[in-house]
Every structure is written in C-alpha cells, then in structure tokens.
Amino acid sequence: VPTSNGSRAFTVVIMLVGVATFAFITGNISAFLAQHDSFKEGIEKKKNSLAAFMKHYKVPIGVQKEAFHIYQSVIESSLSYTETLELMPPWLQDKMAKYIKLKLLHGIPLFDDLDEDCVSAVASVLQRELVPPQTDIIKAGERGHQMFILAHGVVEVLRNNQHQANLKDGSWFGEVALLKSMRRTATIRSITDCEVF
C-alpha cells in the first residue's frame, strides 16, 4: 500500500498504463478476430465461385479436386471470374481449359455430328480473348475468317447500326461468313467485358 504522495502518483500512473495496455491489446484482438471472420467469409465466397465455375463447365470431379487443392494457395488474392484460371498452375490450366472449350463446342449444333476426336482437335486450337465493353468484335462488311464463341458477357447484334438482339454466355457468331466465304452480315459489339474463343 503506497504511503507517500509520490508512491501514490506512481501507482496511479502504473494502473493507467496497465488499463491502457489492456484496452489496446483487447481492441487489437477484437479487430483481428473480426477481420479473420471477414476473411473466412471471403474465402467461402471464392470457393463457391470456383465451384460454380467448374460446375458450369462440367469439369470432371478429379480435376475439381486438384483445383481446390491448388486454390488454397492462391485464394488470398482478389480473384475475378476471368482470372480464376490464370492463377492456377499451367498444368491445371490446361486440364480445365480443355473441358471449358469442349463444353462450349458441345453447345453449338454445328459440331453435333463430329466425332469426339474432331471436336477435341477444334478445342485444342481455340484461343481465349478478353474484350472490353463497346468493342466491335465483328464488323459488318468485313471478310470472315473465324467464328467466335461467347464464354462470358453480353454482346449486341447490329445491322445497319440498328440493334437486332443481345447474345449471352454460350452463344456463337461469325459462322455464316466463315462457312459461306462471304462478308460479315452484322456487327457484333460487346456490351460488357466479354471472354470469347
């Protein structure tokens, strides 16, 4: 028990420092726990996004397991839908890309009568392209040397600068000019960020 004024003042200062230290530590622990809960919630959202991505493209279970195993090491990053594949190791990117391309091709009636080896050969040469909004992917009147498959996004079909329709995920365009060796009959313009093959 402090007996002099000096020792009482010293005791009060020590008690205030102790209370302030306790408050500081408790506040930091609370903030850490709140941030940790938010981080765990973000991880769950990213895992659900990856699961939806793979379900959409019907990626086989074995490849899904590999993806989730690898995904743990990259999940802390801020991922967008189109970046998901790019953050995987190259060997897993190749496996997943194969199934994504095959799913897209199987959605096009033009490829229905082809055997699986032929469809796989076509899939192997598809190249992914990211297109920003308000970009003409195809311009009416140009020669057509390729067709496009819209993996993600929304595009509009324009004839004589008049809106005809919107196309969404899984749609394809440009096949008429390609198959008939003629000029493009419409302009296809991206409305949103798009991923095309």
Side-chain angles (χ1 to χ4, degrees):
V1 175
T3 54
S4 69
N5 285 339
S7 60
R8 285 186 193 118
F10 179 74
T11 302
V12 168
V13 169
I14 293 298
M15 289 174 71
L16 289 175
V17 168
V19 168
T21 303
F22 177 77
F24 176 77
I25 291 171
T26 304
N28 281 338
I29 289 172
S30 296
F32 172 77
L33 292 174
Q35 184 180 14
H36 183 69
D37 287 344
S38 174
F39 180 73
K40 282 173 56 177
E41 188 176 301
I43 287 174
E44 276 309 305
K45 285 182 182 177
K46 289 176 182 180
K47 283 182 178 178
N48 291 339
S49 175
L50 178 61
F53 177 82
M54 290 190 289
K55 181 180 178 183
H56 177 76
Y57 287 108
K58 297 180 180 161
V59 175
I61 296 296
V63 178
Q64 287 186 34
K65 286 179 181 177
E66 288 179 85
F68 276 117
H69 179 71
I70 296 297
Y71 200 62
Q72 281 303 121
S73 65
V74 296
I75 204 161
E76 289 84 13
S77 302
S78 176
L79 302 176
S80 74
Y81 192 69
T82 56
E83 293 171 327
T84 301
L85 214 55
E86 293 171 351
L87 290 174
M88 298 289 175
W91 58 269
L92 189 54
Q93 284 183 33
D94 292 343
K95 283 183 178 181
M96 291 182 67
K98 173 185 172 184
Y99 292 104
I100 291 168
K101 292 173 183 180
L102 286 172
K103 182 196 183 286
L104 291 169
L105 290 173
H106 285 302
I108 301 173
L110 180 66
F111 298 99
D112 284 350
D113 294 332
L114 300 178
D115 66 30
E116 198 58 33
D117 289 340
C118 188
V119 175
S120 291
V122 173
S124 70
V125 297
L126 291 180
Q127 295 184 0
R128 179 174 165 257
E129 185 179 337
L130 299 177
V131 181
Q134 299 304 309
T135 301
D136 289 346
I137 301 169
I138 287 178
K139 292 182 182 176
E142 290 182 340
R143 289 253 177 237
H145 303 289
Q146 60 192 30
M147 67 177 282
F148 296 88
I149 306 167
L150 182 60
H152 298 293
V154 179
V155 298
E156 64 178 330
V157 179
L158 301 164
R159 284 199 177 89
N160 300 321
N161 285 327
Q162 298 296 313
H163 176 83
Q164 301 295 308
N166 287 344
L167 304 175
K168 298 180 181 180
D169 297 5
S171 298
W172 64 93
F173 48 90
E175 76 284 359
V176 173
L178 179 65
L179 295 173
K180 296 185 177 183
S181 296
M182 57 187 281
R183 294 189 180 273
R184 303 283 189 193
T185 60
T187 296
I188 306 295
R189 181 174 297 147
S190 58
I191 294 175
T192 65
D193 285 316
C194 294
E195 180 181 11
V196 297
F197 286 92

